[in-house]
Amino acid sequence: MDEIMRFSYKNFSCDVEIYHKGDDFTVRFYDKNKEQNEHQMMNLVIVDPGYGFLCLKHKGKDSALLSGFLDEEVFVSGDYVDEALCIIEDLSPTFKEICTPYHIRLFKQTSFAEYNGEY
């Protein structure tokens, strides 16, 4: 992990982690208060998946692909998604200058798979 920042828009705010690999990066939206630290990791541990991810992958000098998943209960309208894209623009100065098709899927959490080492 390279840096931690905040995402705030209208009535929603969350933590953001940014993971870099060369010119590519992944942005994770989450609540750090829902994550256990090392000393809390005993007995039952619930791992919160957060609110989503955006991933920018450069495909050459003049193009990149942007994809991601965002929780529709948090990113309730297009303007929330647009505001999340502003983080990408801030991290990648060439984002608006190069061809960057994107697909961001809004998802609704319906179930989960879990393993905590106890069963």
Side-chain angles (χ1 to χ4, degrees), residues 42-60:
M42 62 179 100
N43 301 327
L44 179 63
V45 177
I46 303 297
V47 182
D48 185 76
Y51 308 116
F53 296 86
L54 295 177
C55 179
L56 182 72
K57 295 186 67 82
H58 285 84
K59 295 296 183 179

Side-chain angles (χ1 to χ4, degrees), residues 13-32:
S13 181
C14 71
D15 300 290
V16 173
E17 288 180 331
I18 302 160
Y19 301 90
H20 290 271
K21 182 179 179 188
D23 291 335
D24 303 335
F25 56 86
T26 299
V27 176
R28 176 182 178 227
F29 299 88
Y30 74 109
D31 180 350
K32 70 179 175 185

Side-chain angles (χ1 to χ4, degrees), residues 7 12 14-17 25-30 49-56 65-76 80-81 84-85 88 102-109:
F7 171 80
F12 177 73
C14 71
D15 300 290
V16 173
E17 288 180 331
F25 56 86
T26 299
V27 176
R28 176 182 178 227
F29 299 88
Y30 74 109
Y51 308 116
F53 296 86
L54 295 177
C55 179
L56 182 72
L65 298 173
L66 176 64
S67 62
F69 295 89
L70 297 174
D71 188 331
E72 71 179 16
E73 288 186 16
V74 171
F75 295 88
V76 296
Y80 281 81
V81 175
L85 288 174
I88 303 297
Y102 65 84
H103 180 92
I104 299 168
R105 181 166 295 196
L106 298 179
F107 70 91
K108 181 176 183 174
Q109 295 186 46

Side-chain angles (χ1 to χ4, degrees), residues 23-24 56-66 92 94-95 97-101:
D23 291 335
D24 303 335
L56 182 72
K57 295 186 67 82
H58 285 84
K59 295 296 183 179
K61 186 174 88 168
D62 297 325
S63 61
L65 298 173
L66 176 64
S92 178
T94 61
F95 177 72
E97 299 169 10
I98 62 175
C99 176
T100 310

